Amino acid sequence: MSKLKLSGVSKAYGATLALRRGDLEVLAGEVHVLMGSNGSGKSTLCKIIAGSVRPDDGRILIDDTPVTITGPRSARAQGIGIFYQELSLAAHRTVEENVCLAALPAKAGLFVDRTALKERAARYIALFDGVSGDGFSADALVGNLRPDQRQLVEIMKALASEAPLIIFDEPTSALDRAQVERFFEILRDLKRRGRGIIFISHRMDEIKAIGDRVTIIRDGETITTLNLGETDAGTVIRLMVGGAGDMPASQSSVPAVVDAKDGAALTVRNLSGAGFRNVSFEVARGEILGFGGLHGQGQSALLRAIFGAGAVASGEILIGSERFDAASPRDAIRRGCAYVSGDRGRDGVISGRPIIENVTPIHYLRDRLMIARPSKLSDRVAPALESMHTKFASLFHPINSLSGGNQQKVIIARWLIDRPDVLLLDDPTKGIDLSAKADLFALIRQLAAEGLGIVLYSSEDAELLGNANRILVFNGGSVSRELIGADRTRYNLYQAAYEAA
Amino acid sequence: MSRITSFLRQPIVVALILIVLLLYLGELLSPGFASGAQILRLMIVASLLGIVAAGQNVVILGGREGIDLSVGGVVSLSAIIAGNVMNGADGGILPAIAACLLAGAFFGLLNGLGITLLRIPPLVMTLGMLGVLQGLLVVIRMGIPSGQAAPALSRFVTQPLVLGVPGIIWLWVAIGILMAFMLNRTVFGHRIYAIGSNEHAAYMAGVPVRLMRIALFMISGMFSAIAGLCLLGYSGSSFANVGEQYTLTSIIAVVFGGTSLAGGKGGYTGTMAGAFLLVILQGILTTVNIDESGRQMVFGATLLVLMMFYGRGRAMRA
Amino acid sequence: MAEIATSPTYRRAGGIRRLLERYPFLPALAIVLVLLALNGVFSPNSLSYRSLTGLLSTYMALILLAIAQTYVVYAGDIDLSAGSILSLVNVAIVVLMERWGGGAGAVLLALAIGLLIGLACGLVNGFVVAALRLQAIVATFATSIFFTGLALYILPVAGTPAPTIFWRTYGGRLLGLPFVFYILAALVVLLTVLSRTRLTTQLLAVGDDQQAAYQTGLPVVAIRIRGYLLCGLFSALAAFCITGDTASGDPLVGGKMTLFSVAAVVLGGSALSGGWGTVVGSLLGALTIGLISSVVFFMGTPSEWQNFVQGLAILIVLMAGVLAGRRARP
Amino acid sequence: ETFKIGLSNGWVGSEWRTQMIDEAKEAAAKWKDKDVDVEVSVQSANVDVPGQIAHIRNFIAEGVNAIIVNPNSPTAFDPIFAQAKEAGILVIATDAEVSSPDAIYVGIDQTAWGAAGAKWLAETLDGKGKVVAINGVAGHPANEMRVAGYKSVFKDFPDIQIVNEVNANWDQAQGQQAMQNILATYPDINGVVVQDGMAAGAWKSIMDAGKKDQIAATGEIRKDFIDLWIKDKLNSGATVNPPGVMASALNVAVLMLQGKELKEPAKAGQYGNALYLPIPFIDSKNVEEAAKQLEGKPGYYSYTSSLSIEEAEALFK
Ligand SMILES: Nc1ncnc2c1ncn2[C@@H]1O[C@H](COP(=O)(O)OP(=O)(O)OP(=O)(O)O)[C@@H](O)[C@H]1O
Ligand SMILES: Nc1ncnc2c1ncn2[C@@H]1O[C@H](COP(=O)(O)OP(=O)(O)OP(=O)(O)O)[C@@H](O)[C@H]1O
Ligand SMILES: [Mg+2]
Ligand SMILES: [Mg+2]
């Protein structure tokens, strides 16, 4: 019996066809994985089911009866719960209020029943006992929580819907391993209880671990549905990218240690600041230095601090042999430092503006331009975008008309016009599909080969192991271990991340 | 077909169509309303509003709930300063311009500092500044005689200059061209949009966000100051509270021009049309012979109807 | 897992911060107390029981208007027509009371109709802002012009005395206590009840992130309209108080009060961007505005400087309110 | 003898108000010569009605002997004036009448003010022609009384037609804009009734349109306008609402505090509590004289008159 059945669902935003033909069948008691490259329409499909996007066409059946979903409320009423990729939390409300927000327990129909609310929320909060991290409590304000903790609240909120069908749109992107494990246990339990689950992730290992079947979407079209037990990663990826998709090259060879003979691009000595302490390292020209470890162990804070966007309490930073202490990103950019954040919505995308204006800000600054001549700028911008294989219709279309992955490529392209000396990558592939990742890492290696010093923080072990010449494992704000050469194994990485925890 | 509809949906086009319709309506209701001379006179009034709205426009484009409620106070202050500096003599015009710009920039700077350094929301900061300016006007008027506009300034504002068109309208057109160039073709303009649509991303891309925002409020102060100077030329002598009427109308002109109050979206060309539209509407209402209560109801309702054409928020379900 | 105690954003709330998080109106309370003390220093008489009662009855209207404003600000909206709603209800009830003879029954009936008018205005605002999605600042400015026109139509010129029974009750005493104290007590009860409703939580959630609230499944449009309805309702209550204090109808009486009500909300520590605030703070904010002008006078400020000093004081206190409010929230 | 008098000015938006307060302060200082110490305490702010009620409360708390108020509303002060009277304080309103039986009004009759200008205009136009009116703030009592005043006059001139009435909120620039719009659509008007505060603006539009010789319009009492009037030989007439009214009221207040009684109790006006002061009128015949009084004053200074102490004493028994 199928819980949910979609057929021929489509959605266009103006001229962009976000979803061409979405077909999907989710059974009771299965975890149904959606896979597709950036911009293939997965989130759109999910939002249509959850009622927050209005489809142009198509049929939706729940328990084999055709239904019309008029909005999130109506979707909830018909038994659909959802975890939103970009979360749906109220920052100034408490965790428990957020968990129960969709249906606040009522007294006399008018008042909030605080006792019932606390009880109900406690059930879901308890599910993540032990992995929810420091500072997490029922009455903490969500705005005070870390990104992974917020994602947990969103998960609890989705679970609290107690819906027969729950959608999880990239719920694990900010979680650490322990949290993911716990979440998967919960999913397995839900499965046992006959719930239908839609699950989206770009991480192959997670999909293998939890998925039953997978539906592959390419360019807004459902390609096929496969049994995960009967297929392998290679097949899935080939279907995703359509034809010529082999395993990304970056995963196949492990880079060697780089000689430091060209001199250091970036030197950090005894650096302490908000979120990290006493960190020292050196990045040689041409080297990719990896940062590993669990989430929130100071990696991002450190990168931001080097870039001038976070506070440094003590210690010193050198670019080349020059002392460098950037007071602001502006300062850092002038000195040849680049920073790409995985949180593009917050740190990267200038929404609503043309693609070209999203690429040029660094160029403006480095070249001290006053006047912006589109034709001249186009000549500089287009090659940078092409080197990333960015898909776009025109440089003058708004950046919002691109999918997430292509937006991220635009953000990276802005650093390629005027080459920096040091490139700081802060989990740059969050939410990016495999082929885009491959493009990106090929480029990163090329940049390294051209003599840049690169720091790469990634929450995915495979990315680190496949690209970094050396890996520093972070724990509690400082470096707990350095992995060089043959030490760079998944086992060592895992162990180093957890040893002090 | 869809090209035509999307062309027709542009705020500036909407505003221009509405302007023509309103002029036609005005001519129907009171013959003579749409005569060439009257349109020019309406444009003089519109240019005063439009110049204030130029400053309001950049502040709003700069985002983070950018809004400048102190414009009215700066206009009044500048009119008084200008009147006293020039005191009826043409030779005093240049010093008056300098003094006004300085005063406008100064209060813009104060606004900008409060908003960036103390991170006071612009609405609150500029509302408070309006109160301070109103108080300052009283103090100043007690201490100094209020002066006269220089004849040349009055001529510039009210008498034809080139091609039968008064100088202030040329000034307004020049400001319009300058603003269009600044917003579309300069790095500064692109940075305004950048901080307006995603302040943090702009910061991470090396845009000096604080300086920019302070600059925007200073620009707003300076445009208001220019408007105050022109207003002095328009009315001949300065008097208290001349600028009061511009505070909220300048915001409406910006909105009618298709600029979103959320920032990062819009431009000045639309605002010019919006200012003209608003002035025509007010003009029609003055010439139609109905009770003041009726006038206000019609004005309020018309504003609402016109707003339906512009910058309605996005539906939550796309 | 090792904890990273040094990270400021993820820091657990500490003592003062925790206190502010719970009672965000504490700074406003402190400011009110300081201003009261200053008033007392410069003019001991101004702290007399009689003066304080007077202060309360004069500023009760602004208090209610500030509270009205707070409910829309909760949801991230604003109402620039609150003062005109007050004027409209003021003239409507005064005219009705007079037309119906000014007896107790007439008064009550007129008050009921006044509440309905307030609600109707709130509905109009809610409709244009939430349902038609016009930008709140400009849309409510437009409705304020409309409401003022309506008030002028009902009562073209200020005048028309309110029935004696009405304003004598408001300004008088009941069981030995001034009537405004009962109003204050009733208000406190009403606000407490309202603060426990689902609507308050929902308004705040909408103010936090409208899209998120919608995606969560909250009926956002209906919630915002209810916010405006509450605003209309409290504006009508404010009109009752002003009618009680002035005993007459004046179609322009509320015009200047709107911006003061916004200022009061900010003084009370609420965030204009929505999602965070308290009505008690707004109550204290309204008192602050009243007390500042008294202090400026009692200090012996020369008359031509009074406006400036008052404007400056309000600006400074506004800044203080914002800064303190920010400390309290995430 | 020492008297403490509180002056409350609810609005600071015009120079006229500033001058009103100044003259009242000067009048208070003049009492020194008579060995009476008149201490004035001023509250001057841009406030709403509740704000001005708070002014009165502050005065009561301060323990003044008398309060003189230029009120923001005619009726809103009944309860608070009653309280002031209970506290033994003399309350006088000026410039705008109040309905309170506990206060008296000392000032000009705004209806007569409106009538005087209209009468001048009607006579200047020989009783016929098209006239427009530019009024102040709709709903404001002084405005409505002035409107009633000119209407009652024009009723007696059937050949005078009021083609339009607009409100420009006593704002000079708005008056100018209104006049400009009116001239465009009624090019053939003969006369304009415009209240002071806006007359200079209206005249500016008339002159810009080159119609100063075809149109007669009421004028203003500010020095800069009177200078213009003489220079450009405008066909104008200005009813005077002197800023000295508060000074007059202050003199009356002091005499009342001294326990003197009015010869004729204040019983005029719609509320039966008014003591009307004479209304001077300036037209082209005496405008030079008016200009003489204003010589050396700043441009915003208004032609003024007030009851001197002696003139005020003459009103008392
Ligand atoms: N708000 C929008 N306006 C215009 N186009 C949009 C909008 N949202 C999505 N799209 C278009 O729809 C397509 C699908 O977007 P969606 O976010 O569903 O993709 P996705 O599969 O989740 O990809 P990603 O992995 O990048 O998140 C994108 O290519 C984009 O061009
Ligand atoms: N006004 C402008 N608008 C847009 N881009 C510009 C502008 N001026 C310069 N650039 C950018 O700078 C690059 C180099 O500009 P230009 O053609 O002046 O180079 P050049 O004079 O040869 O180099 P250099 O700046 O080293 O002297 C151009 O390719 C263009 O991207
Ligand atoms: Mg997605
Ligand atoms: Mg996506």
Side-chain angles (χ1 to χ4, degrees):
Chain A
M1 191 194 73
S2 68
K3 272 222 137 41
L4 172 82
K5 196 166 178 247
L6 299 189
S7 48
V9 181
S10 69
K11 176 70 189 176
Y13 292 102
T16 323
L17 254 184
L19 194 61
R20 209 179 291 269
R21 185 181 51 78
D23 300 318
L24 181 67
E25 186 175 17
V26 182
L27 303 178
E30 77 161 337
V31 172
H32 194 112
V33 177
L34 276 184
M35 282 208 83
S37 52
N38 292 135
S40 57
K42 303 178 297 294
S43 295
T44 307
L45 185 76
C46 294
K47 285 183 179 171
I48 287 173
I49 302 171
S52 50
V53 163
R54 186 195 311 275
D56 298 332
D57 206 354
R59 277 170 15 114
I60 303 177
L61 287 85
I62 293 179
D63 293 334
D64 298 320
T65 6
V67 293
T68 326
I69 294 172
T70 55
R73 266 156 78 72
S74 121
R76 276 185 68 86
Q78 305 190 50
I80 293 160
I82 181 166
F83 172 107
Y84 284 100
Q85 187 175 1
E86 67 284 14
L87 311 190
S88 63
L89 302 175
H92 295 112
R93 303 286 97 211
T94 60
V95 169
E96 53 194 15
E97 279 175 322
N98 268 286
V99 170
C100 300
L101 193 58
L104 289 169
K107 246 189 328 209
L110 206 59
F111 302 101
V112 181
D113 186 342
R114 288 275 150 194
T115 350
L117 182 135
K118 275 184 189 308
E119 258 173 43
R120 167 122 64 96
R123 277 210 297 281
Y124 301 98
I125 294 170
L127 292 176
F128 288 93
D129 268 352
V131 295
S132 47
D134 188 58
F136 192 95
S137 66
D139 60 350
L141 299 186
V142 163
N144 286 334
L145 299 179
R146 300 194 308 246
D148 58 316
Q149 293 175 322
R150 285 182 217 178
Q151 217 162 30
L152 289 182
V153 178
E154 181 83 3
I155 291 177
M156 294 171 195
K157 197 173 160 187
L159 294 174
S161 70
E162 289 297 343
L165 181 88
I166 309 185
I167 302 163
F168 290 97
D169 190 355
E170 300 193 30
T172 54
S173 60
L175 302 188
D176 66 34
R177 264 180 229 90
Q179 291 165 334
V180 172
E181 297 283 283
R182 179 69 61 87
F183 174 56
F184 282 0
E185 277 166 34
I186 295 164
L187 283 189
R188 286 187 196 105
D189 180 52
L190 290 180
K191 232 162 78 167
R192 273 195 294 281
R193 288 194 273 144
R195 308 279 190 85
I197 288 158
I198 297 175
F199 178 80
I200 299 175
S201 167
H202 288 295
R203 296 181 181 172
M204 209 65 197
D205 50 345
E206 292 182 356
I207 288 158
K208 280 272 184 205
I210 191 73
D212 296 311
R213 293 197 300 160
V214 58
T215 291
I216 289 152
I217 300 184
R218 187 203 311 149
D219 295 334
E221 240 173 309
T222 300
I223 303 300
T224 181
T225 299
L226 301 170
N227 255 328
L228 268 166
E230 298 159 11
T231 183
D232 59 278
T235 318
V236 170
I237 290 164
R238 260 191 300 280
L239 285 167
M240 265 169 61
V241 297
D246 264 318
M247 275 296 275
S250 64
Q251 244 84 352
S252 54
S253 70
V254 177
V257 182
V258 171
D259 275 346
K261 65 172 189 302
D262 290 341
L266 173 72
T267 311
V268 169
R269 284 192 203 124
N270 302 326
L271 205 66
S272 295
F276 55 91
R277 51 177 176 260
N278 209 16
V279 178
S280 302
F281 61 84
E282 221 172 77
V283 188
R285 290 187 213 287
E287 184 183 31
I288 300 177
L289 176 68
F291 281 4
L294 298 180
H295 242 283
Q297 300 305 305
Q299 303 97 326
S300 292
L302 173 61
L303 292 178
R304 281 170 186 264
I306 296 173
F307 190 58
V312 172
S314 63
E316 62 177 358
I317 307 169
L318 289 90
I319 281 195
S321 53
E322 259 178 83
R323 172 91 195 227
F324 169 86
D325 27 28
S328 67
R330 187 175 171 75
D331 219 6
I333 293 164
R334 283 218 181 101
R335 307 276 293 272
C337 187
Y339 170 85
V340 176
S341 160
D343 191 349
R344 61 179 168 275
R346 183 180 126 89
D347 296 333
V349 173
I350 300 167
S351 45
R353 301 305 299 168
I355 292 167
I356 185 167
E357 278 181 37
N358 271 280
V359 183
T360 47
I362 307 301
H363 182 54
Y364 289 156
L365 185 58
R366 299 279 306 257
D367 270 32
R368 298 172 198 278
L369 297 185
M370 302 283 283
I371 308 294
R373 271 184 285 172
S375 55
K376 279 200 143 191
L377 289 173
S378 302
D379 296 343
R380 305 294 298 265
V381 167
L385 287 173
E386 268 150 32
S387 71
M388 299 280 312
H389 305 288
T390 317
K391 289 193 199 91
F392 61 94
S394 152
L395 280 177
F396 298 93
H397 282 181
I399 186 158
N400 310 55
S401 64
L402 304 181
S403 77
N406 278 312
Q407 290 183 17
Q408 184 72 343
K409 289 179 180 175
V410 170
I411 303 310
I412 294 169
R414 69 167 61 138
W415 299 101
L416 302 180
I417 300 180
D418 304 274
R419 284 291 152 92
D421 300 323
V422 173
L423 177 57
L424 309 174
L425 299 165
D426 184 2
D427 215 356
T429 58
K430 212 188 273 173
I432 290 192
D433 67 48
L434 292 174
S435 75
K437 264 182 212 173
D439 288 342
L440 175 64
F441 282 113
L443 182 80
I444 288 173
R445 289 161 154 225
Q446 187 199 327
L447 291 173
E450 287 170 17
L452 261 68
I454 295 176
V455 180
L456 167 68
Y457 164 54
S458 172
S459 55
E460 280 186 56
D461 296 347
E463 283 179 9
L464 284 179
L465 295 169
N467 294 289
N469 305 102
R470 260 186 318 144
I471 300 174
L472 302 181
V473 184
F474 277 69
N475 211 323
S478 44
V479 179
S480 66
R481 195 145 163 211
E482 181 175 355
L483 303 177
I484 311 180
D487 280 350
R488 288 172 298 165
T489 64
R490 195 171 277 263
Y491 176 82
N492 284 342
L493 196 56
Y494 198 90
Q495 201 209 20
Y498 275 88
E499 64 193 359
Chain B
M1 188 58 217
S2 81
R3 259 229 182 117
I4 295 174
T5 46
S6 75
F7 173 75
L8 287 177
R9 270 157 179 244
Q10 282 176 16
I12 168 100
V13 178
V14 174
L16 287 174
I17 292 174
L18 287 172
I19 284 172
V20 172
L21 284 180
L22 274 185
L23 282 174
Y24 181 72
L25 181 76
E27 183 68 26
L28 278 186
L29 290 173
S30 31
F33 186 81
S35 68
Q38 167 67 358
I39 288 179
L40 273 187
R41 271 184 242 125
L42 286 173
M43 280 185 78
I44 294 177
V45 177
S47 61
L48 294 168
L49 173 60
I51 293 172
V52 181
Q56 190 73 261
N57 206 164
V58 290
V59 164
I60 289 176
L61 277 180
R64 210 169 82 193
E65 293 153 14
I67 202 160
D68 190 350
L69 294 186
S70 70
V71 289
V74 176
V75 170
S76 302
L77 182 74
S78 149
I80 286 182
I81 292 178
N84 280 289
V85 172
M86 64 180 75
N87 207 7
D90 286 350
I93 292 182
L94 284 181
I97 292 176
C100 287
L101 286 178
L102 215 62
F106 175 71
F107 283 97
L109 178 69
L110 291 188
N111 278 331
L113 288 177
I115 285 156
T116 53
L117 294 188
L118 301 178
R119 290 191 293 142
I120 312 291
L123 188 99
V124 179
M125 183 69 206
T126 56
L127 178 63
M129 191 56 76
L130 180 66
V132 172
L133 280 165
Q134 280 171 343
L136 198 61
L137 286 174
V138 178
V139 178
I140 286 185
R141 286 198 330 258
M142 301 290 288
I144 58 169
S146 77
Q148 297 284 321
L153 180 65
S154 285
R155 273 199 308 280
F156 176 79
V157 176
T158 55
Q159 302 303 318
L161 184 74
V162 178
L163 302 175
V165 174
I168 184 162
I169 297 178
W170 291 115
L171 175 69
W172 192 28
V173 171
I175 288 177
I177 294 171
L178 206 80
M179 286 281 287
F181 179 76
M182 178 184 87
L183 290 175
N184 297 314
R185 287 286 183 273
T186 68
V187 171
F188 184 74
H190 286 187
R191 286 178 173 166
I192 295 178
Y193 285 111
I195 64 172
S197 41
N198 188 345
E199 178 175 5
H200 190 74
Y203 177 71
M204 296 299 273
V207 176
V209 175
R210 284 183 177 179
L211 278 180
M212 285 288 298
R213 191 152 276 127
I214 292 173
L216 295 186
F217 278 90
M218 289 175 73
I219 290 175
S220 174
M222 291 196 286
F223 272 122
S224 296
I226 295 174
L229 187 97
C230 294
L231 195 55
L232 175 73
Y234 179 71
S235 58
S237 57
S238 65
F239 53 95
N241 281 9
V242 294
E244 208 172 49
Q245 52 165 327
Y246 292 109
T247 300
L248 284 164
T249 46
S250 64
I251 298 169
I252 292 199
V254 171
V255 168
F256 275 6
T259 296
S260 155
L261 287 185
K265 192 171 151 280
Y268 183 63
T269 330
T271 301
M272 294 176 79
F276 192 36
L277 183 62
L278 196 59
V279 166
I280 294 174
L281 184 60
Q282 285 172 330
I284 290 183
L285 283 169
T286 348
T287 54
V288 176
N289 191 4
I290 47 172
D291 261 0
E292 181 63 18
S293 60
R295 254 180 217 137
Q296 297 213 6
M297 285 191 266
V298 172
F299 187 45
T302 315
L303 287 184
L304 282 177
V305 172
L306 291 181
M307 276 170 207
M308 294 290 298
F309 291 98
Y310 300 100
R312 283 179 59 192
R314 272 187 0 167
M316 275 167 294
R317 187 168 191 245
Chain C
M1 199 181 305
E3 69 168 337
I4 304 169
T6 41
S7 164
T9 26
Y10 308 147
R11 183 182 52 195
R12 236 191 123 83
I16 291 180
R17 198 187 144 116
R18 190 95 201 182
L19 206 63
L20 281 176
E21 206 174 286
R22 257 197 129 87
Y23 309 106
F25 54 83
L26 282 182
L29 185 63
I31 290 172
V32 165
L33 292 179
V34 167
L35 287 171
L36 273 175
L38 283 176
N39 250 327
V41 168
F42 291 115
S43 167
N45 208 357
S46 67
L47 288 191
S48 69
Y49 179 58
R50 195 195 157 96
S51 295
L52 289 180
T53 313
L55 178 82
L56 209 54
S57 67
T58 303
Y59 282 100
M60 191 52 83
L62 185 59
I63 287 173
L64 285 164
L65 206 65
I67 289 169
Q69 192 68 255
T70 313
Y71 285 109
V72 285
V73 167
Y74 271 179
D77 291 318
I78 197 165
D79 186 356
L80 293 189
S81 74
S84 337
I85 299 177
L86 181 147
S87 304
L88 178 58
V89 173
N90 165 253
V91 298
I93 61 173
V94 165
V95 166
L96 287 177
M97 285 175 188
E98 194 197 34
R99 192 160 296 173
W100 292 336
V107 166
L108 289 180
L109 195 58
L111 292 185
I113 293 194
L115 287 182
L116 288 181
I117 293 174
L119 286 172
C121 293
L123 188 64
V124 170
N125 283 330
F127 180 75
V128 297
V129 172
L132 295 183
R133 305 195 301 272
L134 302 184
Q135 312 195 43
I137 289 185
V138 281
T140 56
F141 176 60
T143 59
S144 85
I145 297 175
F146 185 85
F147 297 151
T148 305
L150 212 55
L152 278 171
Y153 178 77
I154 292 173
L155 190 66
V157 57
T160 313
T164 321
I165 172 176
F166 182 73
W167 64 269
R168 283 250 188 263
T169 309
Y170 180 83
R173 285 158 177 271
L174 194 70
L175 304 174
L177 276 178
F179 190 73
V180 281
F181 284 12
Y182 293 97
I183 298 182
L184 190 66
L187 183 63
V188 169
V189 172
L190 180 61
L191 294 182
T192 315
V193 168
L194 276 171
S195 74
R196 308 226 157 130
T197 57
R198 298 207 292 173
L199 180 59
T200 300
T201 306
Q202 289 171 335
L203 280 169
L204 288 164
V206 168
D208 246 333
D209 185 338
Q210 197 171 306
Q211 185 69 26
Y214 174 74
Q215 294 190 339
T216 301
L218 295 183
V220 172
V221 173
I223 290 170
R224 290 171 77 196
I225 291 180
R226 279 179 217 146
Y228 275 102
L229 283 172
L230 270 184
C231 178
L233 188 76
F234 274 91
S235 302
L237 293 177
F240 297 170
C241 291
I242 211 137
T243 315
D245 204 35
T246 66
S248 66
D250 182 343
L252 309 173
V253 69
K256 284 231 179 83
M257 293 174 70
T258 307
L259 288 181
F260 282 130
S261 74
V262 175
V265 170
V266 178
L267 288 174
S270 298
L272 274 185
S273 50
W276 183 257
T278 58
V279 278
V280 179
S282 305
L283 187 157
L284 296 167
L287 283 179
T288 305
I289 290 175
L291 286 169
I292 283 180
S293 77
S294 297
V295 170
V296 168
F297 166 65
F298 286 129
M299 268 169 27
T301 317
S303 70
E304 64 269 29
W305 287 91
Q306 282 173 7
N307 257 29
F308 179 70
V309 175
Q310 198 175 326
L312 203 60
I314 290 184
L315 178 63
I316 290 169
V317 182
L318 279 175
M319 288 179 171
V322 170
L323 292 175
R326 197 166 40 235
R327 277 197 66 86
R329 60 179 189 268
Chain D
E1 259 177 318
T2 303
F3 297 118
K4 200 162 185 191
I5 299 184
L7 309 178
S8 163
N9 174 25
W11 187 58
V12 290
S14 78
E15 288 83 0
W16 189 95
R17 294 285 188 125
T18 326
Q19 192 177 339
M20 174 188 84
I21 295 288
D22 277 352
E23 290 192 33
K25 285 186 188 160
E26 282 162 25
K30 287 218 180 90
W31 278 94
K32 267 247 156 40
D33 306 341
K34 309 241 163 207
D35 284 333
V36 182
D37 245 342
V38 181
E39 222 180 278
V40 293
S41 169
V42 186
Q43 291 191 80
S44 213
N46 226 0
V47 290
D48 44 13
V49 171
Q52 202 172 17
I53 291 177
H55 280 182
I56 314 293
R57 285 197 201 284
N58 290 342
F59 283 140
I60 297 176
E62 220 195 4
V64 297
N65 301 103
I67 296 170
I68 303 177
V69 51
N70 187 339
N72 281 347
S73 163
T75 49
F77 297 95
D78 290 18
I80 188 68
F81 285 172
Q83 285 183 32
K85 190 175 183 185
E86 251 175 60
I89 299 170
L90 170 70
V91 183
I92 298 185
T94 190
D95 193 35
E97 295 183 33
V98 292
S99 61
S100 169
D102 304 309
I104 64 166
Y105 170 76
V106 177
I108 64 159
D109 176 2
Q110 300 288 1
T111 316
W113 186 99
K119 186 155 163 288
W120 168 85
L121 186 67
E123 283 164 2
T124 306
L125 297 179
D126 290 329
K128 57 178 187 293
K130 287 187 179 171
V131 168
V132 292
I134 299 178
N135 302 326
V137 175
H140 192 288
N143 178 64
E144 303 301 326
M145 288 172 79
R146 291 171 172 192
V147 170
Y150 73 68
K151 284 204 166 137
S152 72
V153 169
F154 288 140
K155 228 177 34 228
D156 299 335
F157 294 89
D159 291 335
I160 285 189
Q161 188 198 350
I162 308 180
V163 292
N164 201 348
E165 293 165 276
V166 302
N167 290 77
N169 305 321
W170 284 315
D171 179 310
Q172 182 173 326
Q174 288 184 40
Q176 191 171 346
Q177 288 163 23
M179 191 70 232
Q180 186 178 299
N181 288 320
I182 287 167
L183 284 172
T185 49
Y186 306 99
D188 54 346
I189 51 163
N190 312 95
V192 182
V193 186
V194 50
Q195 294 183 20
D196 54 7
M198 301 171 291
W203 268 107
K204 185 112 198 320
S205 279
I206 293 172
M207 290 189 285
D208 286 346
K211 295 202 168 186
K212 80 177 166 74
D213 298 325
Q214 288 97 295
I215 293 179
T218 54
E220 276 197 54
I221 55 172
R222 276 169 52 139
K223 175 178 159 51
D224 46 18
F225 181 78
I226 285 177
D227 290 347
L228 190 77
W229 183 345
I230 295 170
K231 186 174 128 253
D232 284 337
K233 299 195 179 57
L234 305 179
N235 190 2
S236 190
T239 333
V240 178
N241 179 23
V245 282
M246 190 174 252
S248 306
L250 183 127
N251 288 340
V252 170
V254 175
L255 290 166
M256 289 180 87
L257 288 175
Q258 286 177 333
K260 300 208 170 97
E261 247 180 273
L262 281 169
K263 277 182 196 152
E264 271 181 62
K267 280 212 175 338
Q270 53 174 327
Y271 303 118
N273 61 357
L275 176 72
Y276 286 137
L277 302 176
I279 306 176
F281 194 88
I282 305 174
D283 60 13
S284 298
K285 285 185 230 90
N286 61 353
V287 65
E288 308 272 357
E289 270 168 58
K292 225 166 275 156
Q293 192 212 72
L294 295 171
E295 225 162 281
K297 298 285 188 198
Y300 62 76
Y301 200 82
S302 289
Y303 177 85
T304 188
S305 70
S306 58
L307 293 179
S308 64
I309 297 176
E310 288 71 25
E311 283 165 332
E313 272 171 342
L315 297 172
F316 286 80
K317 283 183 187 155

